[in-house]
Each structure stands twice: as structure tokens, then as C-alpha cells.
Amino acid sequence: MNKRTYLLFWILGLLVLSGFSQTSLKTVVAEKGDGIYSLLRKQGLSPAKHYGHFIALNKDILWDSIHLFQGREYVLPPVEVGSGDRKTTTLKKEPKVLKESLFGKEHALVTVKSNKLNGAVYYLVSGHGGPDPGAVASYKGKMIAEDEYAYDITLRLAKKLMSHGAETYIIVQDPNDGIRDYKILEIDRDEVVYPNQKIPLNQLQRLRQRVDVVNQLYRKNKGKYQRLIVTHVDSRSKGQNIDVFFYHHEKSRNGKHLAESIHETFLNKYRKYQPNRVYEGTFEDRSGLYLIKNTLPAMAYIEVGNIRNRKDQRRILEPNNRQAVANWISEGIILDRTRKSR
Ligand SMILES: [Zn+2]
């Protein structure tokens, strides 16, 4: 069954269920500035739990599939009553499906498989973007740029985190790229910074823009478990045969734990899948980096190899490898989160 058919069955299921329930569905009018998250929260509904239901119920009155029209009436997902209720039990069995159009048509639907990252907030920043392509190189006569590959890995990571229940913010966004399952990712300049800010050319302004956005969101989400992941593909140590480097702020214990957990996951994966390969990446302090110094959430700064290095290119250009890198980072993040909650 393909995803669309599946979703259709799921919606039909919901409709049948709601038909049987004693109370009719509650509706609410979207106010100025309302997003699905804030609307649900105001109604006392957990966005993590009800987001997918809400989208399914209101599919035809959302723009770009996930945004509300101010002043329109929306149906709220049915609230689950007593746990002994048979209808409730059926509802709970349905996997939650989220939609993120930034992932592109083929990857937009996210099935939530676990709640391991429930309550956690992640900010994902992919390096460069907009007028700044980052490191560039040529591959078989084509120009390739760091920002496109960092972005693809970041989207794959975002999808993974969402599938484990995390609240995920993609800070650098490209409205029309999505997750791309091919080797040569075309260079473009239309990336923006959350929610829709043009990226300035000046380096300091560019960095300050993303720092400000992350810090604003951090303050808004105060009290929650929050982490920042920054991804680049341009290791500075060009002479070495580098795999992946991890950095954190020297004064941040939480950042250190996060970087260590991801590092540890990579070590284990290399041992498991490539026993002959020596893992040379390591984390070290890089407090001179503007982002590390100025962002509020604990963070890990990851350099996924060097786009100019021939050997790294082979790895980074292969979509399956980018997926593996994203999977491993997500596993490290889950490891860090699990340790924290103990
Ligand atoms: Zn970079």
C-alpha cells in the first residue's frame, strides 16, 4: 500500500470513528498568527500527539498542506476519553503521520515510530546557503557546493528526529529542494532562514541572523530540553584523511555530552560495518567559531568530511551514505537524550 492510499484509509478510519463517538467534533477559528502547533496548544491538545490527526481532518483548508488560514474554522481531533474506551484503543493504534513539505513531495510524510524524543526541541542549521555556497569543488566536470550537501543531510536528520517525536526546527531552508536521492545536487541560491528571511551576503550578518533566530526560539521554548546541531562539509584539516569531526563549546557540559554521544555512535558504526577502517575524526573545542560562542542551546558542530577531498566526495555524493550519516547522527542524539533523562 503506498503512502497516499495508507493516509486515505487512515482518514476514513478517523471519520468512521468520529461518527460513532457520542460528542460531535469540536471546531475552532484560527486567529492571527496561529500555527497548527499554537492552535492545538491553546485548545489543550498536545501538538506532538494530534498534529497528524489535525492535518488529516482539515486537509482541504490548509495552504501548502500545513498552514492555517486566519479566520477559518478548523475541526479539532477527537479527544481520547477513558482508557477503557474501545474506540480510543483503536485510535491509539494508528501511527501518527506528520507532513513537512520541505522534505519534498516524495519524502514529505513522516510516520512517527517512537516517542523517544518527545518533549525535546532540536534546531538544525546546515552550513552556508543563500548567496554563500560554502566550499565548492568539481566532480566529473560539474560544480558541487557544500551548502547543498549539508542541507540534504540536515533534512534527512530532521525527518529522523521527527519520526521519534522531536519538535524540529530547520533553520536554513530551501522551499523547493527537498530530500534529493541523487549524486549531483544542483547549486542554487534561494535558501532562506527560518521562517522566511533572506540570507545576507556579509558573513558576520549571515551568522548573526541564524544565531538570532535560534536564540529567539530558544527563549520561546524556555524550560524544554533544547539542542542545536550545525552541519558542514568542509573540514579545515585538508591534508588529512578525514571522516567526521565533532566540536562543542568548551564550557558547555551538555554540548560536550551531545558531541560525545554522536561521536560514540559513529565509532560503533565504523567498528560494525567497516572494521578495517580507522576512524580519525574526533571532537575538540572550537570556541572561536561564532555560532558556538553565541548560540544559547547546547550544541554539536559536525563536519561531515571535506567536499574537496576525493575520497570524501565519493562518500558524500552517494545519497545512501548521506542517509547513513543522518541516521547515525540521529542515533547519537537519541543516545544523548536517553542518558539525560536518567
Ligand atoms: Zn562550511
Side-chain angles (χ1 to χ4, degrees), residues 37 108 148 191-192 201 209 214 217 226 274 282 289 298 333:
Y37 270 71
E148 303 295 338
E191 290 87 7
V192 291
L201 185 58
Q209 180 186 49
V214 169
L217 289 167
Q226 305 184 55
Q274 294 166 345
T282 183
L289 290 167
I333 286 171

Side-chain angles (χ1 to χ4, degrees), residues 294-313:
N294 294 287
T295 42
L296 294 172
M299 73 172 283
Y301 184 107
I302 306 173
E303 281 177 357
V304 187
N306 181 359
I307 201 161
R308 294 204 182 106
N309 178 301
R310 286 265 162 248
K311 207 174 149 228
D312 283 359
Q313 276 181 4

Side-chain angles (χ1 to χ4, degrees), residues 127-128 134-135 146 231-234 236 301 303:
H128 313 280
E146 174 191 0
T231 310
H232 281 253
V233 196
D234 64 338
R236 264 135 270 239
Y301 184 107
E303 281 177 357

Side-chain angles (χ1 to χ4, degrees), residues 3 195 236 315:
K3 279 178 185 167
R236 264 135 270 239
R315 183 159 46 86

Side-chain angles (χ1 to χ4, degrees), residues 26 52 67 77 90 92 110 118 122 125 130 163 214 250 263 295 328:
K26 220 182 134 191
H67 300 287
T90 324
K92 271 186 178 164
V110 186
N118 266 11
Y122 294 96
V125 173
S163 79
V214 169
E250 60 184 331
H263 176 245
T295 42
W328 298 355

